[in-house]
Each structure stands twice: as structure tokens, then as C-alpha cells.
Amino acid sequence: DLHAAGLSTSAGAVVAARLSTLSPQAQLTLKVASVLGRSCGIERLARVHPEGLSEKDLNQDLADVEALGLGTRTNDRFRFHHAIIVENAYSLLLRRQKRDLHRMVAKELDIDKAEPALRAYHWDQSGAAPRAIPLYKEAAEQSAARQAHSETSRLLERAFALMNEVDAPLQKTDRAGMHLSLAEAQRSLGNQTGAMENLAAVATLTERPLPRGKISGVVDLTRRYWQTRRMKIVEIGDDHTRRAALQAARAHLMRGEIAYDQQDTAVVLHGTFSGAAASLKGPENSPELLRSLAQLALVGLYVPQLVNSDLHIARATQLARHCNDLAGRSWAMIVMAGYHTGQGRFAQAVAMSKTALSDAETAREVKNVEYAQASLANILRLQGYIARSQEHNLAVYQSGNDRGVAQVRLW
């Protein structure tokens, strides 16, 4: 805190006053260190220093900084005592100096093969958006794999902001994949509106824009429905085309799932049938096809005259046994549990919910864990096991509370 750092309430003024007592060379060293962040390696600081200082001169500068209580050297690293000191030192650099230093740092980090998020940030700050965008994309893929949804959202939103400024050389499927990852992160964080916007972007990139009017929506829904009547796999071209089809399937299915929570029947139907039609263009054992079959079975409970639920649930159950994608299988199992609950088959619903919970925990898919817990809570409540139901409800509430997602706590 400020007091521990030896700073008064007018912290910025105190820092500026102390910086002014340093020699011009030591001031520059501190400014360069501020580009590297709150903490940095002294060797790296020497490599990016524009004056090319000797080890002796650099250590003398850092000793002067240390004597003023602005930072500390520990072994081979230097650390600022407080973020306010970093901000003040950084603010004294001219815009051109900042860009040049960030570029030098980015090049060093590329050589060292540092974390893509850090490299992306420095290329971004250097003004080299084309170099930063693919690194933001790579960093977002890593954070998504860790279920770090807030970080994933932040990284991808910055990447898209840069893509709006420059012409990034990315294929449509790469852009669609980024929109899909952002939608999944936003959905997990409770931002359903943002998720729907990104899912619409996926549809535009992989197929065509979503219908806007009621008439065009009904026409498109009818066309998609007839494509899914037999749920027969359609052989299509190259890997790129199949990838686009599966991205479209995931986007449409997620739209239907979000709409189900929002009780928007029209979008539920359009998302489900559109996702099912797109999944037929992929492999016969894809997670997207499994999710489509499960979702069709659930929809069939409400429109039995249009969908043969028993046929789809039997095929989904068979396909689930051979699906190696635990995250995809856990979600399909949750949907299938909802179907069996609607049919009054509580034993089967409980078994599937437990399998879904186990798969989701193994895959570290937090959203699916919450849904599986909620599914078990609902089934147990319907069976009259209120105390056991509440245990699962509390687990969902605690998870939402830990993640700071108000929608989950409310739900």
C-alpha cells in the first residue's frame, strides 16, 4: 500500500519529485524499466536499454533508484515498490519513445519465446497491430483452455478492436473461431447479449447472415427443418469447408441453448434445426452432431409432431459412448438428462447428470459443472429429495459467487 511504500497521500507528486533528483541517465533507466512492467530481469533491461549501458553503469543507476526507495534489486531482478511509481516513470516517456521501447521489448520476447499475451501487448503498444493480433488469438486459446473466461474475453476484445483498425490477414474460419471463443467466454460470464452478437458473426462468416424479418425467419427455419428430417451425414469438400460447417453448428446450437434459458421459442427452434443441419456436414462422430441429436430430442418434447425424440435420443446415447470430447459430451448428457426428466425417467436422468458432472469436472468446464449440478438439483426436487437437492443448488450458487457471475447466483 502507499504508506508501506513510503508515499504520502499526494503520491504522484512525491514520486515525480524523487524522480527529478536522479541523474538523466538513471531517469532514463527507470523509464525503460517501466516499459517492462512492475518487475523485470536486469539482463533484459540491459538488452533493451537504448544507451547500451555496461553492467556497471546499469547497476549504479539501479542503486541510485533503490536509495530513493523507488525499487529494489533482488538477485538478477529489479522490482518497483509500487504501481504508481511505474505509471509516473512511464508517463514521462514521449509517445515515440514508448513505441520504440515496446518494439525492442517485443523483439526480445519473440527471441525468448515468451508468453503470447505478453508479446501481444508489447507489439500492440509499439503500433504493430498485424504482429499483435495473431498473438492475442494464441493467448486467448491458451486462456480458454484454462477456463480463464475473463482473460479470454479481454484478449479477444482487444484483438477485434485492432482488427477494426487494420486489415488483418486472417481466414474467415480463424475469425469465426475467435468470435466463437469470445461468445463461449461471454456466455460463461453471464453476458448473453454479447454472446448472441458474436454467434451471429460466426453465422455470417461460415454460412450467411441470420434472417432478420419474421417471414425470412420462417422460410429459413422451414428449410433447415427439412434438411434435418433424416439426420443423414452429407459428404462435403475439404477440411476448411468442414471446419466452417462445424463452427456454424456450434454457433447455432449455442444460440438455441441461450434462447432456451431466455424462453425464446422461435430462436430455440431456429438454432436447433440450423445447428443440426450444419453438423451433418461434419464427421459422423463429431461432438457437434452429438449435441444436435440431444437438443433435437429435447425440442421434440415440445413439438412431438415435428421431431421424433425417441429416435434422436437413442442415436445420441449410442454416439455418446464413443465421444472423446469430454466437454462436448458433458453438455450433451445434460441436455439428454433434461429430455429424460421431461419423460419422467428420473433414474436415467440422474445417471446422465452424474456422468455429465464427472466429465465436466475432468474437462474443467465450469459452466457445464454448474448446469450438471442444477440438473441434479431439479431432478431430486421433483422426486421430493429436498435436502439433497439443496446441496446441489448451494454448489451452483457458490460457484457463481466465486466467479462473480450474478446471473448464476440468481439462477
Side-chain angles (χ1 to χ4, degrees):
D1 68 343
L2 296 181
H3 181 71
L7 302 177
S8 68
T9 52
S10 56
V14 172
V15 171
R18 293 187 184 182
L19 287 175
S20 66
T21 64
L22 291 168
S23 68
Q25 179 179 289
Q27 286 186 37
L28 178 59
T29 296
L30 197 65
K31 293 174 186 176
V32 175
S34 73
V35 173
L36 290 164
R38 179 78 182 274
S39 174
C40 65
I42 294 176
E43 182 181 350
R44 178 166 288 163
L45 175 59
R47 291 205 303 266
V48 300
H49 199 295
E51 297 297 326
L53 297 181
S54 66
E55 183 179 345
K56 178 182 177 181
D57 288 341
L58 181 63
N59 275 298
Q60 181 58 57
D61 288 349
L62 294 177
D64 293 344
V65 169
E66 197 169 11
L68 290 175
L70 299 175
T72 303
R73 287 174 297 169
T74 305
N75 296 326
D76 58 348
R77 297 192 66 79
F78 171 76
R79 179 176 176 80
F80 286 93
H81 277 166
H82 198 278
I84 289 178
I85 304 172
V86 184
E87 293 167 6
N88 273 266
Y90 188 78
S91 69
L92 296 174
L93 288 164
L94 299 175
R95 179 178 297 181
R96 187 184 63 214
Q97 289 177 312
K98 290 177 182 177
R99 289 196 168 196
D100 290 345
L101 287 169
H102 279 294
R103 185 177 294 108
M104 292 177 67
V105 173
K107 289 179 178 178
E108 286 291 330
L109 293 173
D110 281 352
I111 293 172
D112 294 344
K113 299 187 184 303
E115 290 293 319
L118 186 60
R119 292 157 61 197
Y121 167 75
H122 285 288
W123 280 119
D124 184 357
Q125 296 303 306
S126 75
R131 299 287 294 270
I133 291 169
L135 288 168
Y136 275 129
K137 176 177 176 290
E138 182 183 351
E141 289 169 353
Q142 292 181 358
S143 61
R146 300 194 309 271
Q147 301 293 304
H149 301 299
S150 295
E151 182 182 350
T152 301
S153 181
R154 177 181 59 80
L155 292 166
L156 288 174
E157 285 173 356
R158 182 55 189 162
F160 281 122
L162 292 178
M163 288 165 66
N164 289 332
E165 298 174 6
V166 300
D167 185 19
L170 288 176
Q171 293 184 337
K172 283 187 175 182
T173 50
D174 289 328
R175 290 174 182 262
M178 292 170 67
H179 279 292
L180 200 53
S181 294
L182 181 53
E184 290 171 341
Q186 289 172 325
R187 181 187 181 190
S188 183
L189 293 169
N191 182 4
Q192 311 292 35
T193 301
M196 283 297 218
E197 290 173 357
N198 278 287
L199 294 174
V202 176
T204 300
L205 288 165
T206 56
E207 290 185 332
R208 62 177 64 84
L210 296 172
R212 294 186 176 181
K214 289 186 177 180
I215 295 177
S216 60
V218 170
V219 171
D220 193 56
L221 174 59
T222 303
R223 180 177 65 85
R224 307 273 193 171
Y225 166 71
W226 283 107
Q227 289 176 341
T228 62
R229 284 287 289 172
R230 293 186 179 180
M231 286 300 289
K232 185 178 179 181
I233 297 294
V234 179
E235 292 291 338
I236 60 174
D238 54 71
D239 290 341
H240 179 82
T241 307
R242 281 191 290 272
R243 181 187 176 197
L246 292 179
Q247 287 176 330
R250 288 171 60 191
H252 285 304
L253 290 169
M254 199 185 305
R255 286 182 65 245
E257 292 159 3
I258 293 173
Y260 184 84
D261 289 341
Q262 297 173 337
Q263 298 184 348
D264 187 337
T265 304
V267 178
V268 170
L269 293 174
H270 187 272
T272 301
F273 289 125
S274 298
S279 71
L280 293 174
K281 299 174 184 178
E284 61 183 9
N285 61 345
S286 71
E288 290 79 10
L289 179 59
L290 173 57
R291 288 175 63 177
S292 296
L293 291 166
Q295 208 154 308
L296 281 169
L298 187 60
V299 166
L301 289 179
Y302 305 97
V303 283
Q305 65 276 21
L306 295 179
V307 180
N308 185 338
S309 291
D310 289 337
L311 178 65
H312 292 311
I313 202 69
R315 188 172 173 186
T317 303
Q318 179 66 25
L319 187 57
R321 297 192 182 102
H322 306 287
C323 181
N324 295 321
D325 183 335
L326 294 183
R329 186 173 72 178
S330 69
W331 182 256
M333 286 289 190
I334 292 167
V335 177
M336 292 160 69
Y339 165 79
H340 286 299
T341 301
Q343 295 283 58
R345 303 167 185 162
F346 296 133
Q348 287 173 278
V350 167
M352 287 193 166
S353 295
K354 288 182 176 179
T355 299
L357 180 58
S358 176
D359 285 348
E361 289 175 338
T362 302
R364 297 178 64 246
E365 188 72 41
V366 180
K367 172 180 63 67
N368 289 10
V369 170
E370 292 168 350
Y371 270 93
Q373 292 273 22
S375 175
L376 282 168
N378 186 46
I379 299 163
L380 292 168
R381 178 178 59 82
L382 292 172
Q383 291 179 291
Y385 301 123
I386 304 302
R388 289 169 59 192
S389 173
Q390 283 297 81
E391 291 177 8
H392 293 288
N393 279 329
L394 288 171
V396 176
Y397 181 88
Q398 187 60 54
S399 178
N401 193 59
D402 291 343
R403 297 200 295 126
V405 183
Q407 179 178 314
V408 175
R409 293 197 300 267
L410 178 63
W411 176 46

